[in-house]
Amino acid sequence: MINVLFFAAIREEAGIEQVTIDKQGITVKELKEYVQKTYKLSSLNQTMTAVNEEFVTDEEIIGTGDTVAFIPPVSGG
């Protein structure tokens, strides 16, 4: 099981704060594709991803019990 957390605009678009997904041994990119399709999200291409509170790339492998956070880009000045 993978715990997935949504923040800010992604949370609003998905309509949920977190979800548990029954997958393991997949990459961040594969998880993004799955979540995007399942929750009909517009895009996760610009989204930062953290696994167990450390930022990772799309090639990172996610294991069972990991917590993945999708964080949209922040703008401001």
Side-chain angles (χ1 to χ4, degrees), residues 7-10 46-49 55 70-77:
F7 291 93
I10 299 170
Q46 301 293 321
T47 302
M48 298 287 295
T49 305
F55 287 109
F70 292 125
I71 305 161
V74 177
S75 63

Side-chain angles (χ1 to χ4, degrees), residues 20-77:
T20 301
I21 296 175
D22 189 17
K23 292 189 178 283
Q24 60 182 344
I26 63 171
T27 66
V28 168
K29 182 179 180 181
E30 291 169 330
L31 181 62
K32 281 182 175 179
E33 291 169 352
Y34 173 81
V35 167
Q36 189 172 345
K37 182 177 178 181
T38 302
Y39 296 97
K40 299 177 178 37
L41 302 176
S42 55
S43 176
L44 293 176
N45 291 337
Q46 301 293 321
T47 302
M48 298 287 295
T49 305
V51 175
N52 300 327
E53 300 184 7
E54 292 191 23
F55 287 109
V56 297
T57 66
D58 283 353
E59 291 76 34
E60 183 80 15
I61 303 291
I62 304 166
T64 188
D66 284 346
T67 297
V68 178
F70 292 125
I71 305 161
V74 177
S75 63

